[in-house]
PDB file of all heavy atoms in Angstrom:
ATOM      1  N   GLY A 355      85.063  34.566 114.276  1.00 86.00           N
ATOM      2  CA  GLY A 355      84.351  35.081 113.113  1.00 86.00           C
ATOM      3  C   GLY A 355      83.945  36.547 113.234  1.00 86.00           C
ATOM      4  O   GLY A 355      83.527  37.146 112.253  1.00 86.00           O
ATOM      5  N   GLU A 356      84.065  37.122 114.406  1.00 88.00           N
ATOM      6  CA  GLU A 356      83.704  38.529 114.588  1.00 88.00           C
ATOM      7  C   GLU A 356      84.778  39.430 113.986  1.00 88.00           C
ATOM      8  O   GLU A 356      85.939  39.047 113.874  1.00 88.00           O
ATOM      9  CB  GLU A 356      83.523  38.847 116.071  1.00 88.00           C
ATOM     10  CG  GLU A 356      82.347  38.114 116.692  1.00 88.00           C
ATOM     11  CD  GLU A 356      81.020  38.514 116.083  1.00 88.00           C
ATOM     12  OE1 GLU A 356      80.793  39.718 115.888  1.00 88.00           O
ATOM     13  OE2 GLU A 356      80.211  37.616 115.800  1.00 88.00           O
ATOM     14  N   LEU A 357      84.394  40.642 113.617  1.00 90.00           N
ATOM     15  CA  LEU A 357      85.321  41.591 113.007  1.00 90.00           C
ATOM     16  C   LEU A 357      85.841  42.585 114.033  1.00 90.00           C
ATOM     17  O   LEU A 357      85.087  43.030 114.909  1.00 90.00           O
ATOM     18  CB  LEU A 357      84.630  42.354 111.877  1.00 90.00           C
ATOM     19  CG  LEU A 357      84.241  41.519 110.656  1.00 90.00           C
ATOM     20  CD1 LEU A 357      83.423  42.362 109.690  1.00 90.00           C
ATOM     21  CD2 LEU A 357      85.468  40.964 109.977  1.00 90.00           C
ATOM     22  N   VAL A 358      87.125  42.893 113.937  1.00 92.00           N
ATOM     23  CA  VAL A 358      87.751  43.922 114.775  1.00 92.00           C
ATOM     24  C   VAL A 358      88.565  44.842 113.875  1.00 92.00           C
ATOM     25  O   VAL A 358      89.045  44.438 112.819  1.00 92.00           O
ATOM     26  CB  VAL A 358      88.658  43.310 115.876  1.00 92.00           C
ATOM     27  CG1 VAL A 358      87.849  42.507 116.862  1.00 92.00           C
ATOM     28  CG2 VAL A 358      89.758  42.451 115.279  1.00 92.00           C
ATOM     29  N   MET A 359      88.711  46.075 114.310  1.00 91.00           N
ATOM     30  CA  MET A 359      89.490  47.067 113.557  1.00 91.00           C
ATOM     31  C   MET A 359      90.857  47.214 114.210  1.00 91.00           C
ATOM     32  O   MET A 359      90.949  47.522 115.398  1.00 91.00           O
ATOM     33  CB  MET A 359      88.756  48.407 113.555  1.00 91.00           C
ATOM     34  CG  MET A 359      89.513  49.498 112.845  1.00 91.00           C
ATOM     35  SD  MET A 359      89.686  49.057 111.113  1.00 91.00           S
ATOM     36  CE  MET A 359      90.219  50.587 110.441  1.00 91.00           C
ATOM     37  N   ILE A 360      91.905  46.984 113.440  1.00 91.00           N
ATOM     38  CA  ILE A 360      93.266  47.151 113.942  1.00 91.00           C
ATOM     39  C   ILE A 360      93.842  48.401 113.313  1.00 91.00           C
ATOM     40  O   ILE A 360      93.930  48.513 112.088  1.00 91.00           O
ATOM     41  CB  ILE A 360      94.124  45.909 113.645  1.00 91.00           C
ATOM     42  CG1 ILE A 360      93.533  44.725 114.402  1.00 91.00           C
ATOM     43  CG2 ILE A 360      95.572  46.164 113.999  1.00 91.00           C
ATOM     44  CD1 ILE A 360      94.297  43.461 114.313  1.00 91.00           C
ATOM     45  N   GLU A 361      94.204  49.324 114.179  1.00 90.00           N
ATOM     46  CA  GLU A 361      94.711  50.618 113.701  1.00 90.00           C
ATOM     47  C   GLU A 361      96.227  50.666 113.648  1.00 90.00           C
ATOM     48  O   GLU A 361      96.790  51.430 112.870  1.00 90.00           O
ATOM     49  CB  GLU A 361      94.151  51.735 114.582  1.00 90.00           C
ATOM     50  CG  GLU A 361      92.635  51.807 114.502  1.00 90.00           C
ATOM     51  CD  GLU A 361      92.035  52.820 115.452  1.00 90.00           C
ATOM     52  OE1 GLU A 361      92.786  53.499 116.174  1.00 90.00           O
ATOM     53  OE2 GLU A 361      90.799  52.919 115.476  1.00 90.00           O
ATOM     54  N   ALA A 362      96.894  49.864 114.484  1.00 90.00           N
ATOM     55  CA  ALA A 362      98.367  49.866 114.476  1.00 90.00           C
ATOM     56  C   ALA A 362      98.872  48.599 115.150  1.00 90.00           C
ATOM     57  O   ALA A 362      98.255  48.086 116.082  1.00 90.00           O
ATOM     58  CB  ALA A 362      98.893  51.090 115.207  1.00 90.00           C
ATOM     59  N   TRP A 363     100.009  48.118 114.647  1.00 91.00           N
ATOM     60  CA  TRP A 363     100.700  46.976 115.250  1.00 91.00           C
ATOM     61  C   TRP A 363     101.941  47.500 115.956  1.00 91.00           C
ATOM     62  O   TRP A 363     102.595  48.413 115.472  1.00 91.00           O
ATOM     63  CB  TRP A 363     101.112  45.969 114.185  1.00 91.00           C
ATOM     64  CG  TRP A 363      99.968  45.270 113.520  1.00 91.00           C
ATOM     65  CD1 TRP A 363      99.337  45.641 112.386  1.00 91.00           C
ATOM     66  CD2 TRP A 363      99.319  44.079 113.975  1.00 91.00           C
ATOM     67  NE1 TRP A 363      98.324  44.751 112.083  1.00 91.00           N
ATOM     68  CE2 TRP A 363      98.299  43.781 113.051  1.00 91.00           C
ATOM     69  CE3 TRP A 363      99.505  43.234 115.064  1.00 91.00           C
ATOM     70  CZ2 TRP A 363      97.462  42.666 113.189  1.00 91.00           C
ATOM     71  CZ3 TRP A 363      98.675  42.138 115.196  1.00 91.00           C
ATOM     72  CH2 TRP A 363      97.665  41.857 114.265  1.00 91.00           C
ATOM     73  N   ASP A 364     102.308  46.892 117.078  1.00 89.00           N
ATOM     74  CA  ASP A 364     103.542  47.304 117.747  1.00 89.00           C
ATOM     75  C   ASP A 364     104.697  46.417 117.279  1.00 89.00           C
ATOM     76  O   ASP A 364     104.517  45.504 116.470  1.00 89.00           O
ATOM     77  CB  ASP A 364     103.384  47.303 119.273  1.00 89.00           C
ATOM     78  CG  ASP A 364     103.111  45.923 119.847  1.00 89.00           C
ATOM     79  OD1 ASP A 364     103.356  44.918 119.161  1.00 89.00           O
ATOM     80  OD2 ASP A 364     102.661  45.857 121.006  1.00 89.00           O
ATOM     81  N   ALA A 365     105.886  46.663 117.798  1.00 85.00           N
ATOM     82  CA  ALA A 365     107.092  45.948 117.354  1.00 85.00           C
ATOM     83  C   ALA A 365     107.056  44.465 117.713  1.00 85.00           C
ATOM     84  O   ALA A 365     107.723  43.651 117.084  1.00 85.00           O
ATOM     85  CB  ALA A 365     108.331  46.599 117.962  1.00 85.00           C
ATOM     86  N   GLU A 366     106.281  44.103 118.709  1.00 85.00           N
ATOM     87  CA  GLU A 366     106.206  42.698 119.129  1.00 85.00           C
ATOM     88  C   GLU A 366     105.208  41.887 118.310  1.00 85.00           C
ATOM     89  O   GLU A 366     105.029  40.698 118.537  1.00 85.00           O
ATOM     90  CB  GLU A 366     105.822  42.627 120.605  1.00 85.00           C
ATOM     91  CG  GLU A 366     106.843  43.236 121.526  1.00 85.00           C
ATOM     92  CD  GLU A 366     106.350  43.251 122.967  1.00 85.00           C
ATOM     93  OE1 GLU A 366     105.226  42.786 123.240  1.00 85.00           O
ATOM     94  OE2 GLU A 366     107.102  43.718 123.818  1.00 85.00           O
ATOM     95  N   GLY A 367     104.522  42.525 117.375  1.00 85.00           N
ATOM     96  CA  GLY A 367     103.537  41.833 116.552  1.00 85.00           C
ATOM     97  C   GLY A 367     102.179  41.713 117.206  1.00 85.00           C
ATOM     98  O   GLY A 367     101.397  40.835 116.861  1.00 85.00           O
ATOM     99  N   THR A 368     101.890  42.595 118.147  1.00 90.00           N
ATOM    100  CA  THR A 368     100.578  42.612 118.787  1.00 90.00           C
ATOM    101  C   THR A 368      99.917  43.957 118.555  1.00 90.00           C
ATOM    102  O   THR A 368     100.577  44.936 118.203  1.00 90.00           O
ATOM    103  CB  THR A 368     100.685  42.359 120.307  1.00 90.00           C
ATOM    104  OG1 THR A 368     101.440  43.398 120.904  1.00 90.00           O
ATOM    105  CG2 THR A 368     101.333  41.015 120.595  1.00 90.00           C
ATOM    106  N   ALA A 369      98.618  43.990 118.762  1.00 92.00           N
ATOM    107  CA  ALA A 369      97.861  45.232 118.639  1.00 92.00           C
ATOM    108  C   ALA A 369      96.810  45.248 119.735  1.00 92.00           C
ATOM    109  O   ALA A 369      96.318  44.202 120.157  1.00 92.00           O
ATOM    110  CB  ALA A 369      97.188  45.318 117.273  1.00 92.00           C
ATOM    111  N   VAL A 370      96.478  46.423 120.190  1.00 92.00           N
ATOM    112  CA  VAL A 370      95.400  46.583 121.159  1.00 92.00           C
ATOM    113  C   VAL A 370      94.155  46.992 120.387  1.00 92.00           C
ATOM    114  O   VAL A 370      94.176  47.964 119.636  1.00 92.00           O
ATOM    115  CB  VAL A 370      95.763  47.627 122.234  1.00 92.00           C
ATOM    116  CG1 VAL A 370      94.603  47.841 123.185  1.00 92.00           C
ATOM    117  CG2 VAL A 370      97.015  47.197 122.983  1.00 92.00           C
ATOM    118  N   VAL A 371      93.080  46.228 120.543  1.00 91.00           N
ATOM    119  CA  VAL A 371      91.835  46.514 119.838  1.00 91.00           C
ATOM    120  C   VAL A 371      90.712  46.677 120.859  1.00 91.00           C
ATOM    121  O   VAL A 371      90.733  46.075 121.921  1.00 91.00           O
ATOM    122  CB  VAL A 371      91.474  45.400 118.833  1.00 91.00           C
ATOM    123  CG1 VAL A 371      92.497  45.311 117.735  1.00 91.00           C
ATOM    124  CG2 VAL A 371      91.301  44.065 119.508  1.00 91.00           C
ATOM    125  N   LYS A 372      89.754  47.486 120.501  1.00 89.00           N
ATOM    126  CA  LYS A 372      88.557  47.671 121.318  1.00 89.00           C
ATOM    127  C   LYS A 372      87.537  46.670 120.811  1.00 89.00           C
ATOM    128  O   LYS A 372      87.128  46.708 119.648  1.00 89.00           O
ATOM    129  CB  LYS A 372      88.060  49.106 121.163  1.00 89.00           C
ATOM    130  CG  LYS A 372      86.969  49.462 122.104  1.00 89.00           C
ATOM    131  CD  LYS A 372      87.547  49.829 123.447  1.00 89.00           C
ATOM    132  CE  LYS A 372      86.459  50.512 124.275  1.00 89.00           C
ATOM    133  NZ  LYS A 372      86.862  50.735 125.611  1.00 89.00           N
ATOM    134  N   TYR A 373      87.151  45.741 121.679  1.00 87.00           N
ATOM    135  CA  TYR A 373      86.215  44.694 121.282  1.00 87.00           C
ATOM    136  C   TYR A 373      85.331  44.356 122.473  1.00 87.00           C
ATOM    137  O   TYR A 373      85.827  44.147 123.574  1.00 87.00           O
ATOM    138  CB  TYR A 373      86.985  43.452 120.799  1.00 87.00           C
ATOM    139  CG  TYR A 373      86.115  42.273 120.464  1.00 87.00           C
ATOM    140  CD1 TYR A 373      85.182  42.345 119.445  1.00 87.00           C
ATOM    141  CD2 TYR A 373      86.225  41.094 121.169  1.00 87.00           C
ATOM    142  CE1 TYR A 373      84.383  41.266 119.139  1.00 87.00           C
ATOM    143  CE2 TYR A 373      85.433  40.009 120.870  1.00 87.00           C
ATOM    144  CZ  TYR A 373      84.502  40.099 119.859  1.00 87.00           C
ATOM    145  OH  TYR A 373      83.706  39.037 119.551  1.00 87.00           O
ATOM    146  N   ARG A 374      84.049  44.344 122.291  1.00 85.00           N
ATOM    147  CA  ARG A 374      83.060  44.074 123.323  1.00 85.00           C
ATOM    148  C   ARG A 374      83.230  44.994 124.530  1.00 85.00           C
ATOM    149  O   ARG A 374      83.081  44.586 125.669  1.00 85.00           O
ATOM    150  CB  ARG A 374      83.105  42.609 123.775  1.00 85.00           C
ATOM    151  CG  ARG A 374      82.553  41.673 122.740  1.00 85.00           C
ATOM    152  CD  ARG A 374      82.286  40.303 123.292  1.00 85.00           C
ATOM    153  NE  ARG A 374      83.516  39.619 123.660  1.00 85.00           N
ATOM    154  CZ  ARG A 374      83.608  38.778 124.678  1.00 85.00           C
ATOM    155  NH1 ARG A 374      82.581  38.507 125.427  1.00 85.00           N
ATOM    156  NH2 ARG A 374      84.747  38.177 124.943  1.00 85.00           N
ATOM    157  N   GLY A 375      83.595  46.237 124.276  1.00 86.00           N
ATOM    158  CA  GLY A 375      83.696  47.225 125.340  1.00 86.00           C
ATOM    159  C   GLY A 375      84.946  47.127 126.182  1.00 86.00           C
ATOM    160  O   GLY A 375      85.033  47.759 127.234  1.00 86.00           O
ATOM    161  N   ALA A 376      85.925  46.353 125.735  1.00 87.00           N
ATOM    162  CA  ALA A 376      87.167  46.204 126.502  1.00 87.00           C
ATOM    163  C   ALA A 376      88.355  46.220 125.553  1.00 87.00           C
ATOM    164  O   ALA A 376      88.212  46.033 124.342  1.00 87.00           O
ATOM    165  CB  ALA A 376      87.149  44.901 127.291  1.00 87.00           C
ATOM    166  N   ALA A 377      89.513  46.439 126.113  1.00 90.00           N
ATOM    167  CA  ALA A 377      90.747  46.406 125.322  1.00 90.00           C
ATOM    168  C   ALA A 377      91.272  44.971 125.284  1.00 90.00           C
ATOM    169  O   ALA A 377      91.456  44.342 126.324  1.00 90.00           O
ATOM    170  CB  ALA A 377      91.781  47.334 125.923  1.00 90.00           C
ATOM    171  N   TRP A 378      91.470  44.451 124.093  1.00 90.00           N
ATOM    172  CA  TRP A 378      91.988  43.101 123.880  1.00 90.00           C
ATOM    173  C   TRP A 378      93.325  43.192 123.156  1.00 90.00           C
ATOM    174  O   TRP A 378      93.571  44.118 122.398  1.00 90.00           O
ATOM    175  CB  TRP A 378      91.034  42.290 123.015  1.00 90.00           C
ATOM    176  CG  TRP A 378      89.754  41.900 123.673  1.00 90.00           C
ATOM    177  CD1 TRP A 378      88.729  42.725 124.028  1.00 90.00           C
ATOM    178  CD2 TRP A 378      89.355  40.585 124.031  1.00 90.00           C
ATOM    179  NE1 TRP A 378      87.716  41.994 124.582  1.00 90.00           N
ATOM    180  CE2 TRP A 378      88.072  40.677 124.591  1.00 90.00           C
ATOM    181  CE3 TRP A 378      89.948  39.331 123.929  1.00 90.00           C
ATOM    182  CZ2 TRP A 378      87.380  39.562 125.058  1.00 90.00           C
ATOM    183  CZ3 TRP A 378      89.247  38.228 124.384  1.00 90.00           C
ATOM    184  CH2 TRP A 378      87.996  38.348 124.944  1.00 90.00           C
ATOM    185  N   THR A 379      94.143  42.192 123.360  1.00 92.00           N
ATOM    186  CA  THR A 379      95.395  42.087 122.615  1.00 92.00           C
ATOM    187  C   THR A 379      95.149  41.170 121.427  1.00 92.00           C
ATOM    188  O   THR A 379      94.659  40.050 121.587  1.00 92.00           O
ATOM    189  CB  THR A 379      96.515  41.510 123.500  1.00 92.00           C
ATOM    190  OG1 THR A 379      96.690  42.361 124.631  1.00 92.00           O
ATOM    191  CG2 THR A 379      97.817  41.409 122.730  1.00 92.00           C
ATOM    192  N   ALA A 380      95.474  41.654 120.257  1.00 93.00           N
ATOM    193  CA  ALA A 380      95.328  40.862 119.036  1.00 93.00           C
ATOM    194  C   ALA A 380      96.713  40.454 118.546  1.00 93.00           C
ATOM    195  O   ALA A 380      97.672  41.220 118.657  1.00 93.00           O
ATOM    196  CB  ALA A 380      94.606  41.667 117.963  1.00 93.00           C
ATOM    197  N   VAL A 381      96.798  39.241 118.021  1.00 92.00           N
ATOM    198  CA  VAL A 381      98.046  38.753 117.420  1.00 92.00           C
ATOM    199  C   VAL A 381      97.708  38.210 116.032  1.00 92.00           C
ATOM    200  O   VAL A 381      96.581  37.800 115.775  1.00 92.00           O
ATOM    201  CB  VAL A 381      98.716  37.655 118.278  1.00 92.00           C
ATOM    202  CG1 VAL A 381      99.174  38.222 119.606  1.00 92.00           C
ATOM    203  CG2 VAL A 381      97.808  36.475 118.496  1.00 92.00           C
ATOM    204  N   HIS A 382      98.695  38.218 115.150  1.00 88.00           N
ATOM    205  CA  HIS A 382      98.488  37.677 113.814  1.00 88.00           C
ATOM    206  C   HIS A 382      99.125  36.301 113.730  1.00 88.00           C
ATOM    207  O   HIS A 382      99.922  35.917 114.586  1.00 88.00           O
ATOM    208  CB  HIS A 382      99.053  38.618 112.747  1.00 88.00           C
ATOM    209  CG  HIS A 382     100.513  38.914 112.932  1.00 88.00           C
ATOM    210  ND1 HIS A 382     101.497  38.064 112.503  1.00 88.00           N
ATOM    211  CD2 HIS A 382     101.143  39.949 113.534  1.00 88.00           C
ATOM    212  CE1 HIS A 382     102.681  38.570 112.818  1.00 88.00           C
ATOM    213  NE2 HIS A 382     102.495  39.718 113.446  1.00 88.00           N
ATOM    214  N   ARG A 383      98.778  35.559 112.706  1.00 84.00           N
ATOM    215  CA  ARG A 383      99.355  34.222 112.526  1.00 84.00           C
ATOM    216  C   ARG A 383     100.847  34.331 112.234  1.00 84.00           C
ATOM    217  O   ARG A 383     101.286  35.281 111.581  1.00 84.00           O
ATOM    218  CB  ARG A 383      98.674  33.500 111.373  1.00 84.00           C
ATOM    219  CG  ARG A 383      97.257  33.125 111.662  1.00 84.00           C
ATOM    220  CD  ARG A 383      96.730  32.178 110.592  1.00 84.00           C
ATOM    221  NE  ARG A 383      95.320  31.953 110.771  1.00 84.00           N
ATOM    222  CZ  ARG A 383      94.806  31.051 111.610  1.00 84.00           C
ATOM    223  NH1 ARG A 383      95.614  30.315 112.327  1.00 84.00           N
ATOM    224  NH2 ARG A 383      93.507  30.897 111.714  1.00 84.00           N
ATOM    225  N   PRO A 384     101.623  33.362 112.672  1.00 83.00           N
ATOM    226  CA  PRO A 384     103.047  33.370 112.343  1.00 83.00           C
ATOM    227  C   PRO A 384     103.251  33.324 110.831  1.00 83.00           C
ATOM    228  O   PRO A 384     102.559  32.600 110.124  1.00 83.00           O
ATOM    229  CB  PRO A 384     103.585  32.092 112.997  1.00 83.00           C
ATOM    230  CG  PRO A 384     102.582  31.742 114.045  1.00 83.00           C
ATOM    231  CD  PRO A 384     101.264  32.256 113.548  1.00 83.00           C
ATOM    232  N   GLY A 385     104.167  34.124 110.360  1.00 79.00           N
ATOM    233  CA  GLY A 385     104.476  34.163 108.932  1.00 79.00           C
ATOM    234  C   GLY A 385     103.601  35.098 108.137  1.00 79.00           C
ATOM    235  O   GLY A 385     103.806  35.258 106.944  1.00 79.00           O
ATOM    236  N   VAL A 386     102.608  35.724 108.766  1.00 79.00           N
ATOM    237  CA  VAL A 386     101.719  36.655 108.068  1.00 79.00           C
ATOM    238  C   VAL A 386     102.187  38.068 108.367  1.00 79.00           C
ATOM    239  O   VAL A 386     102.474  38.416 109.508  1.00 79.00           O
ATOM    240  CB  VAL A 386     100.251  36.476 108.528  1.00 79.00           C
ATOM    241  CG1 VAL A 386      99.358  37.529 107.915  1.00 79.00           C
ATOM    242  CG2 VAL A 386      99.773  35.078 108.192  1.00 79.00           C
ATOM    243  N   THR A 387     102.293  38.882 107.328  1.00 81.00           N
ATOM    244  CA  THR A 387     102.688  40.274 107.506  1.00 81.00           C
ATOM    245  C   THR A 387     101.523  41.045 108.113  1.00 81.00           C
ATOM    246  O   THR A 387     100.425  41.038 107.552  1.00 81.00           O
ATOM    247  CB  THR A 387     103.087  40.905 106.160  1.00 81.00           C
ATOM    248  OG1 THR A 387     104.100  40.098 105.562  1.00 81.00           O
ATOM    249  CG2 THR A 387     103.584  42.315 106.356  1.00 81.00           C
ATOM    250  N   PRO A 388     101.730  41.684 109.263  1.00 85.00           N
ATOM    251  CA  PRO A 388     100.628  42.428 109.873  1.00 85.00           C
ATOM    252  C   PRO A 388     100.226  43.632 109.025  1.00 85.00           C
ATOM    253  O   PRO A 388     101.066  44.310 108.458  1.00 85.00           O
ATOM    254  CB  PRO A 388     101.180  42.865 111.220  1.00 85.00           C
ATOM    255  CG  PRO A 388     102.640  42.661 111.162  1.00 85.00           C
ATOM    256  CD  PRO A 388     102.943  41.726 110.053  1.00 85.00           C
ATOM    257  N   SER A 389      98.924  43.845 108.942  1.00 88.00           N
ATOM    258  CA  SER A 389      98.409  44.987 108.196  1.00 88.00           C
ATOM    259  C   SER A 389      97.311  45.640 109.025  1.00 88.00           C
ATOM    260  O   SER A 389      96.714  45.002 109.886  1.00 88.00           O
ATOM    261  CB  SER A 389      97.847  44.538 106.845  1.00 88.00           C
ATOM    262  OG  SER A 389      96.782  43.628 107.048  1.00 88.00           O
ATOM    263  N   ILE A 390      97.080  46.902 108.742  1.00 90.00           N
ATOM    264  CA  ILE A 390      96.030  47.601 109.471  1.00 90.00           C
ATOM    265  C   ILE A 390      94.713  47.424 108.720  1.00 90.00           C
ATOM    266  O   ILE A 390      94.695  47.055 107.551  1.00 90.00           O
ATOM    267  CB  ILE A 390      96.367  49.104 109.660  1.00 90.00           C
ATOM    268  CG1 ILE A 390      96.548  49.793 108.310  1.00 90.00           C
ATOM    269  CG2 ILE A 390      97.593  49.271 110.529  1.00 90.00           C
ATOM    270  CD1 ILE A 390      96.679  51.303 108.441  1.00 90.00           C
ATOM    271  N   GLY A 391      93.612  47.662 109.410  1.00 90.00           N
ATOM    272  CA  GLY A 391      92.295  47.533 108.795  1.00 90.00           C
ATOM    273  C   GLY A 391      91.456  46.497 109.521  1.00 90.00           C
ATOM    274  O   GLY A 391      91.750  46.087 110.643  1.00 90.00           O
TER     275      GLY A 391
END
């Protein structure tokens, strides 16, 4: 339920986000077009 800001997606469908003071890998649901924001 927490919010994260995604600035860019890579070719593999993952993004690196800054969350709780660390870098996390974010993934989107299968079949969903990745978007920034």
Side-chain angles (χ1 to χ4, degrees):
E356 295 297 315
L357 293 173
V358 295
M359 178 63 167
I360 296 185
E361 298 175 1
W363 292 92
D364 64 17
E366 296 175 0
T368 62
V370 177
V371 296
K372 189 82 166 172
Y373 176 63
R374 288 194 293 146
W378 289 69
T379 301
V381 294
H382 57 82
R383 291 191 187 276
V386 174
T387 305
S389 61
I390 59 172

